[in-house]
Amino acid sequence: MKLDRTRQKMVAQMAIMAATDVRILAMPMEAIVLWQRLVWAIIDMGTDGVLAFGNATGCTFAALAQYRLFVSETQLETYVATWAQNLAITYNPATGTLGLPSALMPSRRAIASRENGKKGGRKPKNSNPLPQDDPRQRTAMMPITGGKAMDPETRSETQELQRAPIAKLASTSNNSEAIADTRAEKPTVSDEAYHRAGRAAFEAAGFDPARSVATYGIVRQWLADALAGGLTEREAERLIVATVRKGTERAVAANKTVTSLMYFSKSVPEAIARRDVPDVKLTAEEMIAYKAARREWAKASQHTDVGPVPRAEEFVGRGRSAA
């Protein structure tokens, strides 16, 4: 199958997103394959990254599930609802349209170029070009032999000038490789931290696990952003939970309903940027254990290297037994 350049670029971006985006990497392997098939169906059958259902397009939800994803219609509806919440795709039930995520949508320039191509392309700017600019010109004037020959000194200077851009380019390339080598790797979020923070955020938003269809997949992205900003997993968890709890309280006061953690997709990143980490609240027993650990660390550090200073967040839930 031959694809135009726009679709080739979209397919390449889909492969990169499937291999790097934490929302996709958090899915089970079967779900990742189904997501790729759905995205390819939107690229293949849709227009400008949007696939519409109905008689006008000849595509139905059931046909898409049966012939493109090889799952039942109910399974596809469940996957689409989950992916739409995580912004892995866009879905508008009112208009009956499926769309690509924002990272895969074609640019306005690509859309405009395709429309211009349908109209025959752009007209040449100069309808009467000079002979040297005319593509119909198949011959060129050749230099006339004769004249003064270049002396050795001038020839040497000319060769040095010609080699200078090449040397500069090589130096730039080496610098780029050095920068790439020293670039720090992105922090990874452990599954334990992801599920712990996700369940805590789920509870802070007031969702009922037995009834709600919401998921906490977006929490993994929030944790990754917080770790990249220099926070620890515990600090990031406290920040996310506190922000979700405050936002839920404001929504309840304004008679608004929170149906998904995507409701906080703006407030949580803003809190991460501000490093708005709430203080650790320890019980009396946890405080005793924390202070005892600090005293032991202070004694041991006088004789040997014992590692970092104990942090208060490490003693949450440990109580007197940790003393």
Side-chain angles (χ1 to χ4, degrees):
M1 178 183 295
K2 187 175 182 180
L3 302 177
D4 54 42
R5 290 186 177 180
T6 300
R7 292 190 176 185
Q8 289 178 359
K9 184 178 180 181
M10 293 163 68
V11 171
Q13 291 174 334
M14 176 187 68
I16 295 174
M17 184 174 179
T20 59
D21 195 289
V22 293
R23 294 171 296 181
I24 310 303
L25 295 176
M27 299 179 186
M29 183 59 65
E30 178 185 359
I32 294 177
V33 174
L34 292 176
W35 176 83
Q36 290 177 318
R37 289 180 179 177
L38 179 60
V39 170
W40 166 240
I42 298 174
I43 295 175
D44 184 31
M45 300 188 297
T47 302
D48 297 334
V50 177
L51 176 61
F53 299 102
N55 296 330
T57 60
C59 180
T60 63
F61 213 78
L64 182 64
Q66 181 177 359
Y67 299 109
R68 298 303 295 254
L69 274 73
F70 307 105
V71 296
S72 66
E73 185 175 359
T74 304
Q75 287 178 307
L76 179 57
E77 290 176 351
T78 303
Y79 280 119
V80 167
T82 302
W83 294 338
Q85 289 181 357
N86 295 341
L87 299 183
I89 61 169
T90 57
Y91 177 51
N92 190 339
T95 58
T97 55
L98 276 172
L100 299 175
S102 58
L104 302 184
M105 289 294 288
S107 63
R108 295 182 179 179
R109 181 177 181 180
I111 296 174
S113 298
R114 182 171 54 79
E115 294 298 326
N116 289 334
K118 292 180 180 179
K119 299 176 183 179
R122 183 182 299 174
K123 295 182 179 180
K125 295 181 180 180
N126 191 353
S127 58
N128 296 311
L130 296 175
Q132 60 268 30
D133 298 326
D134 192 349
R136 297 169 296 181
Q137 184 74 19
R138 300 304 181 189
T139 59
M141 298 180 62
M142 301 302 292
I144 301 175
T145 59
K148 184 178 180 181
M150 184 182 299
D151 57 67
E153 183 178 357
T154 303
R155 183 182 299 107
S156 177
E157 293 177 357
T158 303
Q159 292 174 351
E160 289 296 331
L161 291 175
Q162 290 175 344
R163 286 195 295 266
I166 300 177
K168 183 178 180 181
L169 179 60
S171 175
T172 304
S173 176
N174 293 335
N175 292 337
S176 300
E177 292 177 359
I179 294 173
D181 291 339
T182 57
R183 188 175 299 163
E185 296 182 358
K186 294 182 179 179
T188 57
V189 178
S190 66
D191 290 339
E192 179 185 358
Y194 162 60
H195 291 295
R196 184 180 63 243
R199 287 191 291 267
F202 200 84
E203 181 180 353
F207 296 148
D208 184 358
R211 297 182 180 181
S212 177
V213 297
T215 62
Y216 52 79
I218 189 63
V219 172
R220 187 182 291 272
Q221 183 65 55
W222 290 341
L223 287 172
D225 294 340
L227 294 181
L231 300 182
T232 65
E233 290 183 345
R234 289 289 186 178
E235 290 173 339
E237 178 183 346
R238 296 204 307 274
L239 181 148
I240 292 170
V241 173
T243 305
V244 170
R245 182 177 292 111
K246 292 178 183 178
T248 302
E249 293 173 353
R250 289 195 297 267
V252 172
N255 294 324
K256 296 181 180 180
T257 303
V258 179
T259 60
S260 168
L261 289 181
M262 294 305 300
Y263 183 88
F264 311 99
S265 60
K266 183 177 180 181
S267 58
V268 172
E270 290 177 349
I272 293 174
R274 296 193 305 267
R275 301 177 66 87
D276 192 8
V277 181
D279 296 332
V280 179
K281 296 182 180 179
L282 300 179
T283 64
E285 292 185 352
E286 292 167 352
M287 184 59 70
I288 292 174
Y290 170 57
K291 290 182 177 180
R294 289 290 295 263
R295 289 194 297 269
E296 292 296 329
W297 179 90
K299 292 178 181 179
S301 63
Q302 296 177 0
H303 306 287
T304 183
D305 185 7
V306 293
V309 182
R311 302 169 64 93
E313 61 187 20
E314 299 171 358
F315 292 83
V316 176
R318 291 173 58 175
R320 187 181 298 275
S321 61

